[in-house]
Amino acid sequence: MDKTLHKFQLTAEQKLAARSIWENDVTVLSGPAGSGKTLTALQTFLNLRKQKHLDKIVCVRLITDTFDEHLGALPGDKDEKMLHFLGPAMDNLEQLLNPGELDYELSKNKIEAIPVSYVRGRTFVRCGVLVDEAQNMTDEMILTISTRIGLGSRMVFCGDPQQRDFRGRNGIVYASRLFEGLEGAGVIRLSKQSICRHDIIPHILDRAEMLTQVEPK
């Protein structure tokens, strides 16, 4: 791992997550906002590909309106539409690749983005599969995606169980239960100590937790 090109300074917890991704077929990576879940997964995928273990990266996301927002029809073909929902992955890829590298990867389909509805029937061979915002997925979605993994692939489910947008579903919790203790799988939980997005975020989360504990008048 030390000889790889793509190296972003990781916390101790993130290093454990990277090692799990490197050594296991499936890793479930949960943690609070800004704790580097997506960044750690993508960096490790790039490192694995640099070492010729993977051929491409596939990002799977649930494509649906959240927070009661209605976005309407988005312009472009499927690939262009998907880029609108690939913000978290793209933000991290821009930290790990220079613009020319990223444009090349996208143009050569070395980085693919697909909605959950396109997963059924697929088999991901020698792919790094990032399942992002998994907390918003149903148990059935998690199970369907899990059974798409093919030979030589690594699959990572990322999510924050506290940031689900739909009542009655929390796919990252289901994924943790599904893979906990399973051979070839790892379950890693990042804490607020791994938050690297901005120093204020842990304080925001602490305040939010305190407010939810206040009894309504």
Side-chain angles (χ1 to χ4, degrees), residues 2 18 25 35 37 54 60 100 107 148 154 179 191 206 209:
D2 293 332
D25 301 311
S35 57
K37 301 180 293 295
L54 301 176
V60 180
S107 67
R148 300 299 94 203
R154 307 290 203 284
F179 290 104
S191 68
D206 287 341
E209 184 178 353

Side-chain angles (χ1 to χ4, degrees), residues 10-39:
L10 301 179
T11 68
E13 290 179 336
Q14 291 164 352
K15 288 177 181 178
L16 288 175
R19 181 165 296 280
S20 176
I21 297 167
W22 194 273
E23 296 177 348
N24 292 301
D25 301 311
V26 179
T27 296
V28 180
L29 191 51
S30 64
S35 57
K37 301 180 293 295
T38 302
L39 177 68

Side-chain angles (χ1 to χ4, degrees), residues 4 17 21 30 43 46-47 69 73 94 110 112 121 131 154 163 182-183 190 197 203 205 207 209:
T4 54
I21 297 167
S30 64
Q43 175 177 288
L46 289 170
N47 288 339
E69 292 180 306
E94 287 171 356
K110 293 297 184 181
E112 181 185 7
V131 186
R154 307 290 203 284
Q163 286 198 332
L182 194 66
E183 185 177 357
L190 301 180
R197 184 175 294 159
H203 303 295
L205 295 175
R207 180 63 62 86
E209 184 178 353

Side-chain angles (χ1 to χ4, degrees), residues 158-212:
C158 291
D160 177 1
Q162 304 304 318
Q163 286 198 332
R164 59 195 175 106
D165 299 317
F166 304 97
R167 290 184 179 180
R169 64 170 81 168
N170 203 328
I172 196 66
V173 172
Y174 176 75
S176 298
R177 293 172 177 169
L178 183 65
F179 290 104
E180 188 82 63
L182 194 66
E183 185 177 357
V187 177
I188 306 294
R189 298 173 180 85
L190 301 180
S191 68
K192 286 182 285 190
Q193 280 66 45
S194 286
I195 292 176
C196 52
R197 184 175 294 159
H198 195 287
D199 293 343
I200 197 174
I201 294 178
H203 303 295
I204 294 173
L205 295 175
D206 287 341
R207 180 63 62 86
E209 184 178 353
M210 181 185 70
L211 289 174
T212 59

